[in-house]
Structures are given as structure tokens and as C-alpha cells.
Amino acid sequence: MQSIRYESTRSGAPPVRFADALLRGLAPDGGLYVPDRIPALPKAWRDAETLEDVGALGLMAWLGAEAEADDLRALAHDALGFPAPLVRLNAPAGSEWADVYVLELFHGPTLSFKDVGARSMARLAALFRGDDAEPLTILVATSGDTGSAVADGFAGVPGIEVALLYPEGQVSEVQEQQLVAARPGVRTFAVQGTFDDCQRMVKAAFSDPALEALRLSSANSINVGRLVPQSFYYAHAFAQARRAGWFEEAAVVVPSGNLGNVTAGMLAREGGVPIRRFIAAHNANGFFPAYLRGEATAGAMGPSVRTDSNAMDVGAPSNFERLTHLFPEDLAERVWGTSVGDDVTSATLREVYDATGYLACPHTAVGLEGARRYRAASGDTGAAIVLATAHPAKFPDVVERATGSAPLAPPRLAAFATRERRSERIAPTEEALRAALLVCQS
Ligand SMILES: *Cc1c(COP(=O)(O)O)cnc(C)c1O
């Protein structure tokens, strides 16, 4: 089996193996790594019953030349051993929500789809780091679902430590409980500043010679170690639909921010998953839909605006560069885009709940509205799958305001409230972060 190489979107850097792309994150020329070919998924994906089984097949297709089959199977078991059910909305034939399906990607430990990428990347990093004696430190700034997924995904993985920065007082109570839960190998810093301060501090740390010995690395959504595993649940959705006799092919609606999830879906489609069309459903941060309509160029990317679907508050999607590199000719044929404001999102959340009894998180609600608009605009009323990216109980205020119903927190979410809390408060400066990172915590 020939190994897949990863080249930079900016093409200044020589192609590298998966391990290098994974451990470096960004290419040295500042570009994003893209595979030089996209492998076909082995046909057996259609009969695979679990996400873990599809994952083992997918990892073999992508990494079979780089690692032992047994290691990849064990990795899939460890990283992807939770359900991702495809749920059919309960709507009569002919009604607006008929033939709409929801792929629930929030059954992992921290209740968002970020668990898939973060858990996989952590285990891939442990596998490909080799028997390097030096531990790695993953440094992340977070305001949303990524932080808890990364902290949980990397916790206790041998040879890897995590340092997490979040703006104290600027995340929701549920999010904070998840971020400060004590975990082996994880230090959480409550920064006395904003999310932008956190990001600036992290950026400065990466180029700080005093911190070189810590071997800092990042786990953000541009990393191929997150991207590739996220392509597997697309196949899992279609395998479930086949088994249930629901459909063979469908349009797929992706609630989007940084466009990592859409890019992963494109990899799945190239690998043979019968996705008719992608719908990129954005909140008020509508650069990408405007680009697809030919109304904006890359120069129109700008600062983000805050919305109720805060994990998608991205003004300058980092995977845009990768998508346009991989599909330079026909991106607008493959993807249809729409931008949904908070008021419409709330109204849709309520309508779907009233009509079908399904309680969605605000990000998923943006996707449901995207499905409705796509169907109306295209006339394609075939099956549509909406990715449910987070559990509604992570956003209890927005969901209750929209529907009058408080989402029931699953036990593992409720358990965060009573977990031991561990965080260190630091000033919003690079000096404070440097000093904190250099103090050995034992
Ligand atoms: C991160 C996130 C998104 C956006 O995903 P991208 O890959 O950045 O487009 C959507 N919904 C939720 C709940 C998220 O956490």
C-alpha cells in the first residue's frame, strides 16, 4: 500500500508523511496540509455496524501504509467507541420535516462532535510520536466545545500533556464545569481577560524560545489528525440508513464555523459515500455562503459576530484555504450555503420541537433551517441528513427560551457539576503564561 503524502496549500514546503503533518499542525510556510490523494473507503463500510467499525476501515485506508492494522483497530475502538445514531424525525409523509434525518454526534464524553476529532487526534499523536522520550504539550485557547473535548481526549494519554486557556467568566456555567474538571495531565488556566487575550497568549507561546523545551503543539481544527477521523461518521450515517431501508443517497447539512466538518465530509464523498450535495449552514457569520453565491471574495473575511450558536462564531474560517485548494473548480456545485440569524434559529428550534418532538441544540437548529431552505431553493426533496453537532443540554438557556422546555442533561453532563475542579488563575499576558508553564506542577 502506497503511503499518502501531505502537501501545503501554499506549496512552498516539501510533502510530508502523516506523522509530520499531525505533529506539526501547520506547514512551515503557514499553509494547511492537504493529502496528495483521497483514498477510497473499503466497500465493507456499507455493512459496518458501528462508528468504531467504520473507523477501523477508514484508518486502514488512510494509514495502512504507516501503522499496523492491529494498532489502528485498537485506536478506533478506544477513540470512537460511542454511538452516533441516525434518527428519523417523526413527521408524516408530505410534511415539511418528512425524510429529514439527524445524525447525533454528541454521544461522546463531552457531548459535542468535537470528541470524535479530539479523541482520535490524541491517540494518533501518541501512536506516531514514537518512543520519543520528550513529552509533548498541547496548548489550546478555547471558548467553546473544543477545549473540553481536547482536555478529555488527551487526558491520560502517555507522553502528552495539555495546557488549556479560557477567559474566566466569559463561558457558560455548563462549559466552565467541563473545562475545569480535574484530569490527569491537564492544566487549566482561567485567564483574567477575553478570548482574544487567550489566543494572543497562545500564539506568543508558540514562538517563545524560553518555552522550546516544552515542545508545544496545537490541536485546533486545521489538524489532519482531527479532519480525517471526522470523515468516518458520514459513512456510518449512510450504513445505518441502508440497514433501516431508509435511503441510499442524501444531501447532508453541516452546521459550520471553521469548515472543518464540511471538509471532512468532502473527503468521505471522494472516498465513495453517496452524498448528493453539502449544505453549509452558518449563523450570522455568513462569509462562506456569500462566497458560494459569488458575492464575496476571500478578502471579505473579517471579525466574528457573537450569536446563540457560539461554537460557530467564526468570521474567517480556517479551512476555507484547504477547501478551495482541494476543489478549486466546482466548490459551489458541491456545496450550497446559507446564513441563519438568531431569531430564525430560535423559531426553527421551536417549530421542529412542536412538529416532531425533537429538541435540537442551537447549532443543529441552524442546520435544520438550512435543510428547509435548501429544499425550497433546489426542489431536491429527497432525504436530507442534518448533523447534530452538540447536545441541547449544553445550551440550556437558548433551548428553553426558544421552546419553553428545559433539555434534560444526560448523567455524564450532570456529573461535571460535582467533579473536582482544578484551575489556575493567571493574568492576560504572555509573561504570566510563560511563568506558569515553566513552573513544574507535581
Ligand atoms: C465546532 C462546532 C461547529 C462548527 O464546526 P466546524 O468544523 O468549525 O465548521 C458546529 N457546531 C458545534 C456544536 C461545534 O462545537
Side-chain angles (χ1 to χ4, degrees), residues 106 111-115 144-146 175 221 226-227 230 233-234 254-264 281-282 309-314 317-319 361-364 387-391 394-395:
F106 52 68
L111 299 100
S112 87
F113 84 100
K114 299 283 197 308
D115 283 325
D145 298 315
T146 298
Q175 284 175 321
S221 79
R226 280 175 57 171
L227 199 64
Q230 281 182 215
Y233 47 69
Y234 288 86
V254 188
S256 291
N258 251 327
L259 296 171
N261 211 351
V262 164
T263 310
H282 289 253
S309 46
N310 61 13
M312 311 198 306
D313 291 351
V314 181
S318 46
N319 277 288
C361 91
H363 309 78
T364 308
L387 303 193
T389 49
H391 194 288
K394 285 192 96 168
F395 306 90

Side-chain angles (χ1 to χ4, degrees), residues 40-49 51-64 72-73 76 232:
L41 272 179
K43 294 259 186 289
W45 72 261
R46 294 188 176 81
D47 303 311
E49 290 198 5
L51 177 60
E52 163 186 342
D53 291 345
V54 177
L57 291 168
L59 287 173
M60 275 306 288
W62 282 91
L63 295 169
L72 294 175
R73 245 190 314 269
F232 305 151

Side-chain angles (χ1 to χ4, degrees), residues 175-197:
Q175 284 175 321
E176 184 155 34
Q177 287 169 0
Q178 290 191 306
L179 288 169
V180 301
R183 297 174 172 98
V186 179
R187 294 175 71 185
T188 301
F189 297 104
V191 174
Q192 311 292 286
T194 62
F195 177 60
D196 290 341
D197 290 324

Side-chain angles (χ1 to χ4, degrees), residues 1 6 33 64 69 72 84 95 122 124 135 145 160 177 201-202 220 226 276 302 304 314 319 338 358 380 403 412 422:
M1 193 179 292
Y6 294 79
Y33 283 116
L72 294 175
S95 84
L124 287 165
D145 298 315
I160 303 182
Q177 287 169 0
M201 292 159 73
V202 164
N220 60 20
R226 280 175 57 171
R276 228 176 10 250
S304 59
V314 181
N319 277 288
T338 191
Y358 193 84
D380 172 3
T403 62
R412 71 191 182 293
R422 200 197 302 144

